[in-house]
Each structure stands twice: as structure tokens, then as C-alpha cells.
Amino acid sequence: NEFKNANEMMECLARPLMDEGRASINNEYHSTKFRNGRWNRDTHRLVVIKVTPVTPIFEKKSTFFGEHIIKIYEIQFSLKGETRIPPSNLSELYCLHYHQWKGCKFGIVGHDFPTTITFRSQSESNSILKLFVCVDENLTDDATEKTGWLSKNEFRALFDPHKFGVPNPNAVLTLMSVGSTTNIVRQFEAIASIGHLKSHIQKALFSSRIKVQQ
């Protein structure tokens, strides 16, 4: 089958890419876990110091997430009484645990977007890790259990209930790096970027009438 446009390609290939990424992490776990099921990975206790909404440079409607309303936030962390610095390579995937959540969530080291840079200040030099997390404003806490996303209530649990927009001083999370997603992210970004090419280039890519001269 041939793809007619960039959106059709994204809808068809994005999910297999995500499944490939999950399979890669699962294989890593099963190959390195202990007999009792524990994973031989370092954990870090970090405190949330700032949460910033992330607005992608290009926003385009897509049915990839169905009826979900997904928002992305950047969470900044600082050390909590320990000296080990967690890896912060681009596309590093983290598992996050917080005592007020029913399950663990996923965070990823992402690119710096203009909107996140704008809201930063020089006083944030003590931030040693910045992760992107997804918040689904429609799902309940139970419904997000197998997605890695946060529900609206779980997201609100990170903030001080008496100070709007200020992280709770007791918002200390346990984080564990579960591996790099660089290869998957690059493939995903390559597919997503096709929709932003000039229209005549897109027509050439998706045309089945192009003849190659011998």
C-alpha cells in the first residue's frame, strides 16, 4: 500500500515505532534483571523545583491520540541530599515514582523549546535534570496506569495546594533511567517533519507517477 500524505504515514507508522521502543526496553529489562525480578539500575531521589508548559514549535491537529487532550510539561529537578548526577543525554527515558501516584510514569529528556527557554531564569542553574512528561486531561488516575502519562489529578499533586503554580516542597520523586530512545525518537521526528516540507516536495514523495530515467 502507498501513503497518500504525511498524516497518513504518521498514523500508520507512529504506533509501530512506539511498540518497537517498548519492546527494546522490555528486552533490556529481561536480559539484565535479577532472579527476584529487580532491575540492576541506579535510582535517584530528586526534588521538583519548577514545572513549565511546553508548546511545540509546530502544532498540527492529528488523530494519533484519538480523543485524548495531551499536554506536555517540562519538570526540572535538583538533588535531594545525594551527589550522584543522573544521566541527562537527549532522549534518555526515565521511570518516575511519586508516593501520591498509583503507578509509575515516564519522562524523557527532550529538546529545548523556545517556550521553555523563555520562562527560565538565571537562578535555575541548580537544575540538574529536565524531563518532558505528558498529561492527559481527560483520563482518570486508573485509566493512565498503562500509558506512562499523568492524569490531571496526578499532575496537580506535584504542586503546593496553597500556592498556585508552585511545586510542593515535598514533591520528591524516585527516578530510574531505563535506557536511550534516540533511535526511535529520530525515526519519529523524521516522519513528523515530512508534514512541514514544501507542498511540491511532499507531492513528489507521495507520488506514484514519478518515472526514473535510465
Side-chain angles (χ1 to χ4, degrees):
N1 296 331
E2 297 178 350
F3 297 115
K4 297 179 181 179
N5 51 52
N7 279 342
E8 189 174 297
M9 177 181 283
M10 172 64 79
E11 300 297 334
C12 181
L13 298 181
R15 292 187 185 277
L17 272 178
M18 294 177 66
D19 292 340
E20 181 183 339
R22 282 194 289 263
S24 175
I25 294 173
N26 285 334
N27 290 336
E28 175 70 17
Y29 164 72
H30 287 294
S31 63
T32 59
K33 68 178 180 179
F34 294 123
R35 290 185 177 180
N36 61 2
R38 294 179 63 87
W39 202 356
N40 184 21
R41 295 268 179 161
D42 292 333
T43 58
H44 304 269
R45 293 273 291 171
L46 304 179
V47 60
V48 177
I49 59 173
K50 189 169 185 180
V51 180
T52 307
V54 176
T55 304
I57 299 174
F58 299 107
E59 288 188 302
K60 200 169 187 177
K61 291 184 178 180
S62 173
T63 58
F64 175 64
F65 290 114
E67 298 300 322
H68 299 283
I69 301 176
I70 305 297
K71 292 186 178 181
I72 302 174
Y73 292 86
E74 179 193 77
I75 301 181
Q76 297 185 34
F77 297 91
S78 66
L79 296 174
K80 179 65 176 180
E82 64 173 81
T83 57
R84 293 177 303 152
I85 305 297
S88 57
N89 301 318
L90 188 63
S91 302
E92 191 82 18
L93 185 66
Y94 275 87
C95 180
L96 291 72
H97 177 266
Y98 186 41
H99 71 277
Q100 293 197 39
W101 297 342
K102 290 188 176 181
C104 293
K105 309 299 177 182
F106 281 129
I108 190 171
V109 179
H111 296 283
D112 278 336
F113 283 101
T115 50
T116 54
I117 297 174
T118 301
F119 291 108
R120 290 181 188 160
S121 63
Q122 297 298 324
S123 62
E124 296 174 25
S125 57
N126 59 340
S127 173
I128 52 94
L129 185 65
K130 304 180 183 72
L131 298 179
F132 285 174
V133 298
C134 290
V135 179
D136 190 318
E137 303 215 328
N138 286 346
L139 293 183
T140 61
D141 297 357
D142 293 331
T144 61
E145 184 177 354
K146 296 183 179 181
T147 65
W149 301 338
L150 282 74
S151 67
K152 182 184 290 186
N153 290 334
E154 290 170 330
F155 180 65
R156 288 178 175 174
L158 295 174
F159 296 93
D160 189 322
H162 306 294
K163 297 180 181 178
F164 179 77
V166 177
N168 191 320
N170 297 319
V172 179
L173 277 63
T174 301
L175 291 81
M176 180 178 70
S177 171
V178 297
S180 174
T181 61
T182 300
N183 183 44
I184 301 301
V185 169
R186 284 178 177 174
Q187 293 182 61
F188 184 89
E189 290 179 337
I191 297 173
S193 65
I194 293 176
H196 304 295
L197 296 174
K198 296 290 186 180
S199 59
H200 67 281
I201 299 178
Q202 291 193 48
K203 289 180 180 179
L205 288 173
F206 297 105
S207 175
S208 59
R209 300 180 180 179
I210 297 178
K211 296 181 178 180
V212 179
Q213 295 181 352
Q214 299 295 334

